[in-house]
Amino acid sequence: MTPPRTPQIPVVVLAGFLGSGKTTLLNHLLRNRAGTRIGVIVNDFGAIEIDAMTVSGQVGSTVSLGNGCLCCAVDASELDTFLETLTRPSARLDVIVIEASGLAEPQELVRMLLASDNPHILYGGLVEVVDAAEFGRTRQRHPEIDRHLAVADLVVLNKTDRVGEAERERLGAVVAELSGPAAVISAVHGRIDPELLFDPALRPDHEDKARQLTFEDLLREEAPDGHEGHDDHLHASYESVDFTSDIPMDPRRFMEFLDSRPDGLYRIKGFADFGAGDRDNTYALHAVGRFLRFVPRPWARGEQRLTQLVMIGAGIDAAALSAGLAACRADEPGRADAADVERAMWGVLRYVQEQTPEPEVFDAHGTADPREAAAEA
């Protein structure tokens, strides 16, 4: 099995009915991206500064669909056409955000992403934005919102400053019931911590010198008073739990933990060491909502063999999660039956897609563009 040679780009679907605040949230992400290169596919213009994006020199990483409805594509081929542009090595993107039309069917967008033949993308989750002040009326006019919430990985209950505390708690309970295991967080003016959706990119210092104008530079000038820069309170609506172990994980127990992960646990990322299950590889873990995949990578010479995981969610029990993972550690060496460990590893390998070697394809600049495997849960 050959692991991917280059990282895959997570694709986040941003959905919600008209007026819920999707565009405001997206503009917030662009202003507070901390150096992360974001490619944007938009269904409708709204308040997104398309002209500013063009001026900033990001033409190659922005695709406007005008009045077309992305979810109306019969299969994944049309979406792949746009994603192909954004995943070219020359674009050097870290994450792609698809802002769906207010009348789009988000589950169709998710279906197309999971069915995409583009080997350079990775499903990054469905974020459903809900207008707290208009939720009841929106639900009456568009009862399909219940179906949308049911397939969301993260729900942002937006505009909570427009309702009282008691109503906010009631709405939170209703949305949580409709969205099942999805994490639900509250927000004002779409301000959420970008690290909920993507990891900040680390750039060499020299890349910040003599760089081109970016989304962040252009949009910061238009930021409302009091909204510029980072907001110290953004982390309050979710929790992050770190776990590190120098004892390998038992694959069967670990998969039982993942299969029964609690409601509100939105993302899990990191690396798992399965010890005798596979002594040659560490396994990169990517989980968002119900989506899960592993990517094996050979241990580097002299690399310390650790399991290192970060779990992000809302309303989660940090102590219980840490204890649950601790209980997944393998027994002492020599006590486990080799055949049993091998059988248990099949629970992990079902989330790893086999990759057949392919010839490398080079772009016009001679840059290698290897095809990679994208696993589906």
Side-chain angles (χ1 to χ4, degrees):
M1 180 180 298
T2 304
R5 286 167 287 179
T6 57
Q8 291 173 301
I9 302 173
V11 180
V12 178
V13 178
L14 183 61
F17 281 92
L18 297 169
S20 61
K22 300 187 305 297
T23 300
T24 302
L25 191 154
L26 178 56
N27 279 337
H28 167 75
L29 294 178
L30 295 177
R31 289 188 181 101
N32 298 274
R33 60 191 184 84
T36 301
R37 294 189 173 95
I38 305 176
V40 181
I41 298 177
V42 292
N43 235 111
D44 42 14
F45 294 113
I48 300 177
E49 297 293 335
I50 297 297
D51 290 338
M53 292 179 180
T54 302
V55 171
S56 71
Q58 300 290 335
V59 179
S61 51
T62 304
V63 179
S64 170
L65 304 185
N67 295 324
C69 183
L70 186 60
C71 73
C72 290
V74 177
D75 53 38
S77 60
E78 291 186 24
L79 180 58
D80 279 340
T81 300
F82 298 112
L83 292 175
E84 186 63 33
T85 300
L86 299 181
T87 56
R88 289 173 181 166
S90 57
R92 302 170 65 206
L93 294 179
D94 301 301
V95 63
I96 295 171
V97 178
I98 300 176
E99 189 202 4
S101 163
L103 300 178
E105 286 289 342
Q107 63 266 40
E108 288 303 304
L109 291 172
V110 173
R111 178 189 64 81
M112 288 190 288
L113 284 175
L114 294 179
S116 173
D117 291 328
N118 190 319
H120 307 295
I121 65 169
L122 176 69
Y123 177 57
L126 168 61
V127 180
E128 182 78 14
V129 184
V130 173
D131 184 339
E134 297 292 330
F135 179 68
R137 287 181 284 273
T138 300
R139 200 178 176 198
Q140 287 181 346
R141 294 192 304 271
H142 302 284
E144 61 268 31
I145 193 173
D146 290 9
R147 185 174 68 250
H148 296 181
L149 288 169
V151 297
D153 299 304
L154 173 68
V155 178
V156 178
L157 187 60
N158 196 28
K159 305 183 183 181
T160 53
D161 57 321
R162 296 178 55 190
V163 298
E165 183 177 352
E167 176 65 4
R168 184 165 60 248
E169 292 181 359
R170 187 192 70 82
L171 286 171
V174 172
V175 169
E177 182 178 359
L178 293 172
S179 59
V184 180
I185 62 171
S186 298
V188 176
H189 300 300
R191 299 199 301 272
I192 66 172
D193 193 328
E195 290 192 40
L196 268 170
L197 306 184
F198 50 80
D199 299 328
L202 300 177
R203 304 288 181 198
D205 292 339
H206 70 270
E207 287 198 15
D208 288 331
K209 299 176 182 177
R211 60 178 173 81
Q212 66 181 5
L213 197 62
T214 66
F215 293 156
E216 196 171 10
D217 299 324
L218 289 161
L219 293 175
R220 184 181 289 113
E221 298 176 2
E222 302 174 5
D225 292 341
H227 296 167
E228 186 175 352
H230 61 82
D231 297 301
D232 293 336
H233 67 278
L234 291 178
H235 68 279
S237 57
Y238 74 95
E239 188 168 3
S240 177
V241 181
D242 297 336
F243 175 83
T244 301
S245 174
D246 57 1
I247 301 174
M249 307 300 281
D250 179 278
R252 179 174 287 110
R253 294 176 201 161
F254 189 56
M255 291 311 302
E256 289 174 353
F257 172 87
L258 293 177
D259 289 340
S260 61
R261 52 193 186 272
D263 294 356
L265 184 56
Y266 172 56
R267 291 180 69 195
I268 308 177
K269 56 186 179 178
F271 296 88
D273 172 19
F274 291 111
D278 186 347
R279 298 194 184 280
D280 296 327
N281 295 294
T282 179
Y283 282 72
L285 166 61
H286 170 78
V288 55
R290 301 164 181 82
F291 178 87
L292 172 66
R293 74 143 194 183
F294 288 98
V295 178
R297 170 183 66 78
W299 290 104
R301 184 184 299 273
E303 180 179 0
Q304 186 177 8
R305 302 199 170 202
L306 296 173
T307 292
Q308 296 178 298
L309 300 170
V310 177
M311 296 166 286
I312 301 173
I316 57 177
D317 186 334
L321 287 173
S322 296
L325 281 173
C328 294
R329 290 181 292 197
D331 296 325
E332 296 178 9
R335 292 182 57 185
D337 179 78
D340 184 62
V341 172
E342 183 178 351
R343 286 192 297 269
M345 276 301 294
W346 282 108
V348 175
L349 296 177
R350 67 184 180 182
Y351 293 104
V352 177
Q353 181 172 327
E354 290 285 353
Q355 181 180 355
T356 55
E358 296 185 33
E360 290 186 342
V361 178
F362 292 84
D363 62 18
H365 304 286
T367 303
D369 184 17
R371 295 186 61 83
E372 306 156 358
E376 295 177 21

